[in-house]
Amino acid sequence: MRLPYVALTTLCVMLTISPVLAKDKPHEKKMDPQAEMELWKQLGTPGEPHKLFASLAGSYTTHAKEWMEPGKPATESTGTAEMKMLLDGRFLYQEYHGSMMGQPFSGIGIDGYDNLTKKYVTAWMDSMGTGLFIMEGTASADGKTITLKGSHPEPGGGKMTHRAVWTITDANNQIFEMYGSHGHGKEMKMLEIVYTRKP
């Protein structure tokens, strides 16, 4: 009759840890449904960060620099980028075409500002991988320098951490800089892309 013994033991363990679990997750006060609906409506309304994104919509030429090793000269290339707003001004969509590591390269990015978490978020996918790269971060007081952080797994194990600095100089010029480090190694500048709006 081992099964009832196991069940009884499991029940005792659950009764012992339940108060502990309850302390870790306090009960939130239930909101009035109408008030909750109104709050979600406010959170779903584009604000100042989204207006700034909207000012960036258009066509750009790009000039990229890549650094594969510290102290080595950068590889330079040119490309194009198209930006437009999605979902009634809630997200900025970018389609990028150029070259990377000497190979043709295309990428798609979606940038947003989450009114609930008060964080900038970005999702990136490109022709050099099959994963989706996610970063989030904050901006300077004027909203024109956005710093994002993220990480991705590396072949053979471990992770590479990234820090991106996106500087919106004005509606016609942007600079995107990417820094990275392997594991606990020293951070190095890996990429810089200068965006210039087409005339």
Side-chain angles (χ1 to χ4, degrees):
M1 303 305 292
R2 186 168 176 77
L3 189 58
Y5 175 77
V6 172
L8 184 59
T9 304
T10 303
L11 179 61
C12 290
V13 169
M14 289 307 295
L15 288 173
T16 303
I17 66 171
S18 289
V20 176
L21 293 175
K23 288 178 185 173
D24 289 344
K25 197 171 185 182
H27 292 285
E28 298 290 337
K29 185 179 177 184
K30 187 157 177 64
M31 287 184 70
D32 171 70
Q34 189 63 38
E36 187 173 8
M37 188 181 297
E38 185 58 35
L39 179 57
W40 278 114
K41 185 178 176 183
Q42 291 172 18
L43 291 171
T45 302
E48 291 305 314
H50 307 94
K51 289 177 186 175
L52 179 60
F53 285 160
S55 73
L56 305 178
S59 302
Y60 294 82
T61 57
T62 64
H63 182 259
K65 294 180 181 178
E66 304 166 64
W67 288 268
M68 300 304 293
E69 293 180 54
K72 296 286 178 71
T75 301
E76 301 188 37
S77 62
T78 57
T80 60
E82 297 289 330
M83 297 186 183
K84 66 179 181 179
M85 294 302 287
L86 300 178
L87 299 175
D88 300 319
R90 289 172 172 83
F91 299 94
L92 178 65
Y93 171 89
Q94 175 185 176
E95 193 167 323
Y96 182 96
H97 296 284
S99 63
M100 194 73 65
M101 300 181 189
Q103 301 294 320
F105 176 83
S106 295
I108 290 173
I110 297 178
D111 297 290
Y113 177 78
D114 188 332
N115 289 332
L116 178 59
T117 64
K118 308 254 186 277
K119 293 276 183 78
Y120 288 82
V121 290
T122 184
W124 178 262
M125 63 203 84
D126 59 49
S127 57
M128 293 187 72
T130 55
L132 190 63
F133 184 47
I134 308 288
M135 291 191 292
E136 69 171 24
T138 57
S140 56
D142 63 3
K144 293 190 172 184
T145 301
I146 300 168
T147 302
L148 302 154
K149 292 183 179 179
S151 65
H152 69 78
E154 293 192 285
K159 283 190 174 184
M160 172 174 266
T161 58
H162 293 280
R163 178 174 63 91
V165 180
W166 178 15
T167 305
I168 302 167
T169 309
D170 53 44
N172 299 316
N173 300 279
Q174 307 167 47
I175 302 173
F176 182 83
E177 299 168 283
M178 179 77 84
Y179 301 82
S181 61
H182 301 275
H184 298 289
K186 189 176 179 182
E187 182 183 80
M188 64 169 276
K189 188 172 184 177
M190 303 170 63
L191 178 67
E192 177 184 287
I193 305 175
V194 176
Y195 292 77
T196 306
R197 189 183 293 275
K198 290 181 180 180

